[in-house]
């Protein structure tokens, strides 16, 4: 099993979610993070204008069986891109074991 | 004077309500709009609106349009306490009316929230507060033709609330729904308000303000009438809230606080036209019906694929009409002729508002665009138009 | 009339305080309860409560129970300004008293927050506002037997605050503590309030409202008395807050804002019974003692394994009793006999409230259940009973 | 009396504004400071301040310093309605003035927020409210020498706002900037306010309060004058907000809500000195200029490497001076001599406040320290000094 | 060393925490996430009733030495289950190195 | 590629960020978590004083190429330490693949 961690624009979340559902990835968790990267965002506050590279992003954590990996990555790549700096990253890592708490099931059958 | 203060604080109520029932990403924008309405509304009304509304129609004139000049200067004798029927001065009157005028624009503000272009909205509300509202107002409160017909609108169910409500209706039609409000099948989805405690506070503050709105509209310090007015106002509000809460609980099997809140406002708007003509029992009846209207009205708006984040059309337009007609049905003025006069007033003012706000909005749409881009809308107007966050220290979800 | 508006806005203060000192997962529920109390309280009081409270006891009757019929209709002459001692009208009086009545239920609402079943609470508060409160009220303000004995309670330390406070005490006893309030060893744990700024705003709004509560209870526009009342009210509040803050700082080595806030409220409740009888110095003394009572009272409630999220019992019951007794100790009515009469009044009313609310609550518990399930409580009442979030756009912790 | 209530509620406005424009980690601290000011301010003012401010200077005395004894007792006849010019009683007067006094300390509170040691601040504000403010006040409102010179300050542009503003200026100079406010190159950085809706509510509540501040300062119930005052107050506020918003939009290409809010306050402070002397047009002019002053003033403070989180110096000091001078430029008192008298008044009072608050602050700094440690500041004063979170259920960012 | 990531019901957190303390796992970090899965939750808002599969969950991240792995998983499995859909998942992955910032210690002795 | 996960004091964040920039690690994501550990924090609320071991921490997730690993860890170790209990942890794990969403780039060139 693999863990796919995707850091995307918040405004792209709905599209990414739809794309994942399309390829039948219906199980994941997400939260919001602050990303430090290339993109800059302008602000003004009480007469001080400033720009920050700290931008709110959404972090998706999706654990999939090995055969689902490819289509998951593709679904995200195609749905999250805007071609402007700041689209985010996808990281893949290995998951050694998975359990479904409700049943105690192990392995990839616990994933969905 | 105190009533002016109470009506002023209604703007806080409206702001809270509007903020609370929308998403956090547009909070700054909403506040900016509301601050704009209060400040510029007052200034514009001072510049010309007041004299357009109270032009002093001559006997025998048709009483449709007259303008008494720019700026405000107290008429001779206006500074004395005995101005008009006594009990208040010319200055108080101006301020009180100015606060009213701004209210009409605030109603629109709520309905168009989260997607209108700020500059377009500012332009629209200047014209609406400075021109359309006072013209309509002059027909009745300025002593124009509706007044002569015997049309009765105590504190503005039609003159304030419907005038705002019609514009809100046209505006949400012209604007279209917010991204995500309807899915592909056209089924309405819930875009949740982000701060219900503020919205609830807004409702209570508005109720408080209505004491000034209705109480102050007695326009004389007659304590018997004023206190009756406060009783009818409160009972209608209570009845409106209770009936909306009960009705929506029956309908949706759920204690829906937002319906409760809208019901209270509906009851308040409903009683506004006849607050001084009703007995307590009448007030409770009017309020209860308003509460049911609200529940159905909100559903109707959704059915029509219109998107009204705060329920402004149901509350201000539909209940405003109901309240105006109710003067012909309940209370001491009830009667068939009165009902017809009320109906005529509602119709004429409605037609005028629909036409004028329609022209205005389409002109704005053509000339400068009326809606922000899809991307700005998703990002939120706070960042897109103001570069500022409302809640910088909080972790937020995004919808 | 203005005082009515001020008393009305107290409900916003109570709502804010209660929301602020509880957890976010029950916010909608609390607001719903408060809206219910305001609207239905007013309607029920209108239906029968007012006439139960001011039945016009005949000379020579024992003055314990009389009911003047359903609904409200102004007595002859009530519409004129000169009604009663003058200065206010029958309508104003009704509205003012109706707002008071709702207050008693609001006090209970705070104490039982976060675990009571909504329907049971609604049922309870209807009966309490519609029956128990006005019966007690009639004994004194309605001219009943306590009034004849010379019992003095200016604006309701006992008649409003203790009546609410006793019910709160019984209710938290019947209900039991919130999950997690006491650990296995019975040591109290802190369940943190989630929005202290709103709670603080609630306190200031309540203070403001008390200007109306006490100021309006002069029930005549006598400016000398009213202004003295405002001064004593403010000074007692200030003294209560200051002493509670200082005392808790000494005790817990910590600047505890929540004690500061409760102290202010304690001072206000304490002065309520004798606001028009005290000199400024008396007021400061009464307030200071109330502040200390609060700090000890809150600790006492915890010691008794009772769970009162907002401190309603300490503030309204204990300080209410203190304030009522203080009329016999300080100020122009001080004296041994007066003290005994006050004590008797406190005792009789206390007994009546304890018994009636006890019966009522146990009956409700038996008939419909009084507490939500453990699971619903942990999940939060907002989701469990209303299917709605108070702060949809915020990331939240869960306790 | 109502005005007292309105002025009281200004403290809620100030609290909201201050909270909203600072970071969440100092919220409890700010509330504690404000509660302290209200309660202790009132008590201290009662103890001695009032008699220091209204000592009843004898004819022929130089009118600089006199103290009429501790405590408050109504002078003979003070309880009657006809006290002074009539329209209010001695008690009302005390309460109204006490609320004013606390305002001066609140202004300082905003400027020093997020870094001052609580105990030092409490000490400072006691002395300032109890001694410095009433001494200055006695020179004009107590009938002292400035009054005899013909210095005019209707409701306290100088006597309240500048007095607070000067102390704020000195205090932020003595304290230094918050950690992170200026980077190594001395470029100002934005430390974002965490709750803009509350801040906006604060502004509207302050506006409301100003109706009482200025309206009540008429100190008689003359309706003509009072209502004129309300109109000028409102128009100046509206003009201030509008001009600040427009000017900052031009300057920074951005609809900056915080400037809008500060502009409204600037307009209010600006009109305060001459609210009863101005025509509506004068008021609009004064307000507009105040709005521009605000935008420049905020930038100037930043340029000077001073750190004023809420803009207190720009709003209260600079606009306070502007408003006082404006009495010599616009309105019915305008004239070269009046202008010079106003200038002298501003100068003398300024010098006195700078010197006294300077001495006081340096003494405090030497004796007990005035600023929290760097680590406590980064952690937030709520945790460091109060061990409490303002928003326990929310996930928060840290700045 | 292993990283145990558990996604649980918020309402079960106190029990899970107690169970972990029982087996002497006293060090971990947690945060709240939104989970997309099988469970649905009904809501009503202004007359629109809807149900969402986006439910708030708590995400626990616990790094343990290999010998602690088993009991940690068991503690969570037994304390977090309600046997209704939505109980959550546990994922195990490998941690190559760990440092305690205070001391600079490496390896499993840095874990507690 | 490696994932560096650091759990630090919130109050140290600015220093850590500066130290990371120093060693040219300009890309990362962070969020706030609650940490359970040795450190205790005292509180008082309405007369109840209590101390909790649940303390807000900041969680940094930094994916770096193998050659950057060392300096990243060192930068954090040196900038986040206060030598008092509660300074936090650093965990290193393996990342199998990384993508830049904007371009679809794979591998370590996608990291910055
Ligand atoms: N090495 C990394 N480790 C963790 N998060 C990263 C890393 N690199 C980028 N990110 C996340 O991806 C977001 C987008 O990166 P950015 O450099 O702005 O745009 P792009 O990926 O288009 O070049 C950042 O805000 C950050 O949250
Ligand atoms: N493959 C996955 N990757 C990440 N998180 C998951 C995954 N599967 C489930 N989850 C998390 O677990 C939660 C519970 O899953 P759900 O399907 O609702 O119930 P159950 O596990 O009982 O079948 C989800 O809300 C989600 O947060
Ligand atoms: N094994 C672990 N897994 C996950 N997080 C941990 C672990 N151990 C410690 N932490 C995190 O590190 C923080 C600091 O740990 P603590 O024991 O308080 O101090 P120290 O690391 O200085 O001994 C904890 O609050 C927790 O967030």
């Amino acid at each position: 099993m693999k863990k796919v961690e995707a850091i995307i624009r918040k405004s792209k979340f709905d599209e990414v979610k739809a794309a994942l559902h399309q390829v039948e990835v219906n199980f994941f968790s997400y939260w919001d993070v602050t990303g430090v990267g290339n993109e800059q965002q302008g602000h003004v506050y009480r007469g001080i204008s400033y720009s920050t590279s700290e931008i709110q992003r959404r972090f998706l954590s999706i654990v999939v069986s090995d055969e689902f990996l490819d289509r998951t990555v593709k679904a995200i790549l195609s749905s999250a891109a805007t071609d402007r700096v700041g689209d985010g990253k996808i990281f893949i890592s290995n998951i050694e074991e998975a359990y479904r708490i409700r049943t105690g099931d192990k392995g990839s059958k616990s994933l969905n | 004077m105190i009533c002016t203060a109470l009506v002023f604080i209604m703007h806080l109520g409206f702001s809270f309500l509007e903020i609370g029932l929308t998403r956090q990403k547009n909070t700054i924008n909403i506040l900016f709009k509301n601050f704009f309405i209060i400040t510029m509304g007052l200034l514009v009304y001072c510049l010309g609106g007041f004299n357009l509304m109270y032009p002093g129609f001559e006997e025998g004139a048709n009483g449709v349009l007259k303008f008494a000049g720019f700026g405000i200067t107290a008429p001779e004798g206006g500074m004395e306490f005995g101005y008009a029927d006594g009990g208040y001065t010319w200055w108080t009157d101006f301020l009180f009316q100015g606060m009213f005028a701004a209210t009409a624009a605030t109603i629109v503000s709520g309905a168009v929230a989260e997607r209108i272009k700020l500059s377009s909205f500012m332009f629209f509300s200047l014209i609406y507060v400075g021109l359309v509202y006072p013209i309509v107002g002059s027909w009745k409160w300025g002593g124009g033709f509706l007044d002569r017909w015997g049309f009765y609108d105590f504190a503005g169910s039609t003159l304030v609330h419907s005038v705002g409500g019609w514009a809100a209706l046209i505006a949400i039609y012209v604007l279209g729904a917010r991204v995500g409000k309807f899915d592909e099948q056209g089924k309405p989805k819930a875009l949740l308000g982000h701060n219900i405690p503020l919205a609830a506070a807004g409702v209570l503050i508005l109720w408080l303000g209505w004491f000034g709105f209705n109480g102050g509209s007695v326009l004389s310090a007659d304590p018997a009438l004023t206190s009756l007015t406060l009783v009818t106002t409160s009972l209608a509000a209570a009845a409106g809230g209770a009936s909306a809460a009960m009705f929506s609980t029956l309908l949706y099997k759920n204690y829906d606080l937002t319906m409760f809140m809208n019901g209270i406002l509906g009851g308040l708007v409903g009683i506004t036209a006849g607050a001084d003509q009703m007995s307590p029992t009448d007030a409770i009846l009017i309020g209860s019906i308003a509460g049911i209207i609200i529940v159905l009205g909100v559903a109707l708006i959704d059915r029509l694929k219109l998107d009204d984040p705060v329920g402004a059309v149901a509350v201000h337009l539909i209940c405003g009409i109901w309240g105006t007609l109710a003067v012909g049905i309940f209370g001491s003025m009830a009667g068939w002729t009165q009902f017809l006069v009320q109906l005529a007033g509602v119709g004429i003012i409605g037609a005028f508002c629909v036409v004028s706000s329609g022209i205005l909005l389409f002109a704005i749409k053509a000339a400068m665009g009326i809606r922000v881009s899809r991307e700005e809308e998703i990002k939120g107007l706070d960042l897109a138009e103001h570069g500022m966050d409302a809640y910088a220290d909080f972790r937020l979800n995004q919808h």
Side-chain angles (χ1 to χ4, degrees), chain A, chain B:
Chain A
M1 289 161 289
K2 300 292 172 198
K3 173 153 76 174
V4 180
E5 290 177 318
I7 302 165
I8 61 167
R9 289 180 194 281
K10 280 178 149 193
S11 53
K12 278 288 180 179
F13 177 70
D14 282 337
E15 288 170 54
V16 171
K17 192 176 145 194
L20 287 171
H21 283 324
Q22 209 79 43
V23 298
E24 285 173 353
V25 175
N26 294 321
F27 299 84
F28 59 92
S29 308
Y30 66 84
W31 58 93
D32 289 346
V33 306
T34 309
V36 179
N38 283 319
E39 200 190 6
Q40 301 269 325
Q41 201 164 60
H43 291 269
V44 176
Y45 180 75
R46 284 171 50 71
I48 300 173
S49 42
Y50 63 101
S51 66
T52 172
S53 60
E54 309 208 346
I55 295 176
Q56 297 276 314
R57 307 257 174 233
R58 187 148 288 175
F59 192 105
L60 276 64
S61 170
I62 319 168
V63 177
V64 294
S65 57
D66 295 358
E67 64 270 27
F68 266 74
L69 179 59
D70 240 39
R71 62 178 98 162
T72 306
V73 171
K74 280 208 193 101
I76 300 173
L77 280 179
S78 63
S79 59
T82 65
D83 298 340
R84 270 166 303 121
V85 166
D87 279 351
K89 301 279 150 67
I90 303 177
F91 301 122
I92 316 292
S93 55
N94 191 51
I95 287 290
E96 303 189 338
E97 192 54 276
Y99 299 85
R100 154 172 284 137
I101 291 175
R102 173 162 46 101
T103 56
D105 285 352
K106 284 217 270 191
S108 55
K109 75 169 177 301
S110 74
L111 290 182
N112 44 55
Chain B
M1 273 165 281
I2 301 122
C3 292
T4 308
L6 291 178
V7 174
F8 172 75
I9 208 62
M10 289 179 78
H11 287 286
L12 176 59
F14 278 118
S15 302
F16 268 3
L17 183 69
E18 195 178 339
I19 290 173
L21 293 180
T22 52
R23 289 163 297 173
Q24 63 82 17
K25 63 183 174 182
N26 301 311
T27 304
I28 300 282
N29 186 256
I30 288 170
L31 289 168
F32 199 95
K33 276 192 312 183
N34 280 306
F35 273 70
F36 179 83
I37 291 168
I38 307 167
T39 56
M40 289 307 291
L42 208 56
L43 293 176
V44 163
Y45 195 73
C46 162
L47 189 71
F50 191 56
N51 282 337
L52 198 57
M53 186 146 167
Y54 295 92
F57 286 122
E58 291 87 16
E59 287 294 319
N62 59 2
V64 175
L65 193 63
K66 194 187 159 195
F67 181 53
F70 286 101
I72 52 170
T73 11
E76 265 171 76
M79 291 297 283
E80 267 105 70
F81 192 65
Y83 167 68
D85 307 334
Y88 65 115
T89 68
W90 196 84
W91 293 116
T92 316
D93 196 28
F94 158 68
L95 205 57
F96 190 63
Q97 298 298 340
M99 299 292 175
F100 262 54
T103 302
T106 309
I107 292 166
V108 183
S109 165
V112 300
E114 305 204 86
R115 57 204 189 283
I116 203 167
K117 241 172 89 176
L118 183 57
S119 50
S120 309
F121 176 77
M122 296 196 292
F123 186 74
F124 172 78
S125 57
L126 282 189
I127 308 277
Y128 211 73
V129 170
L131 235 57
V132 179
Y133 171 80
I135 290 178
V136 173
S138 75
W139 295 346
K140 160 72 189 142
W141 291 339
F145 67 98
L146 281 175
D147 194 38
R148 293 178 197 172
W149 292 3
F151 177 71
Y152 194 76
D153 188 359
F154 174 59
S157 274
T158 289
L159 266 66
V160 179
H161 294 284
S162 291
V163 167
W166 285 114
L169 180 66
I170 303 301
I172 62 178
Y173 172 73
V174 173
L175 270 174
R178 289 168 293 170
V179 173
K181 174 66 194 175
F182 297 100
D183 63 13
E184 291 89 61
Q185 289 80 49
K187 248 193 78 216
K189 295 203 288 180
L191 297 178
L192 305 176
H194 83 282
N195 203 333
I196 306 295
L198 284 198
V203 171
L204 293 182
I205 293 171
L206 284 171
W207 187 338
L208 176 74
W210 239 282
F211 285 168
F213 206 80
N214 286 357
S217 293
V218 175
L219 285 186
S220 71
D222 173 3
L225 203 57
T226 311
S227 59
L228 170 63
T229 305
L230 296 190
V231 171
T232 54
T233 303
S234 291
L235 287 176
S243 85
M246 281 190 285
F247 189 59
S248 74
T249 303
L250 288 179
L251 223 59
Y252 305 115
K253 316 267 164 278
N254 181 288
Y255 300 112
D256 189 339
L257 180 66
T258 52
M259 282 297 177
F260 208 148
M261 302 192 314
N262 274 176
I264 289 176
L265 297 181
L268 288 167
V269 172
I271 196 66
T272 297
D276 61 340
Q277 303 295 334
M278 303 295 160
S279 74
T281 320
D282 293 333
I284 292 178
L285 275 173
I286 292 178
S288 307
I289 295 172
I292 290 170
I293 290 179
I294 285 292
V295 176
L296 298 176
V298 166
L300 177 72
I301 300 292
D302 274 346
R303 189 75 43 93
L304 295 174
K305 309 260 167 300
L306 293 173
D307 179 13
D308 180 1
V310 301
V313 173
V315 168
H316 298 284
L317 179 56
I318 309 187
C319 286
I321 293 176
W322 158 241
T324 311
L325 299 182
V327 172
I329 306 175
F330 297 104
S332 48
M333 298 181 74
W336 190 235
T337 27
Q338 185 65 34
F339 182 79
L340 288 182
V341 172
Q342 298 296 104
L343 197 64
V346 167
I348 291 171
I349 291 177
F352 181 73
C353 290
V354 167
V355 170
S356 58
S357 64
I359 293 174
L360 192 52
L361 286 163
F362 275 111
I364 291 174
K365 188 171 182 179
M368 57 200 290
I370 198 163
R371 190 166 172 160
V372 297
S373 73
R374 184 188 156 87
E375 203 184 341
E376 284 178 319
E377 188 179 338
I378 291 177
K379 199 173 168 193
L381 302 180
D382 289 3
L383 270 181
E385 302 217 58
H386 305 271
M388 206 187 284
D389 293 307
Y391 304 97
D393 285 3
F394 293 91
R395 291 263 148 186
L396 301 162
N397 298 325
Q398 172 129 351
H399 301 284

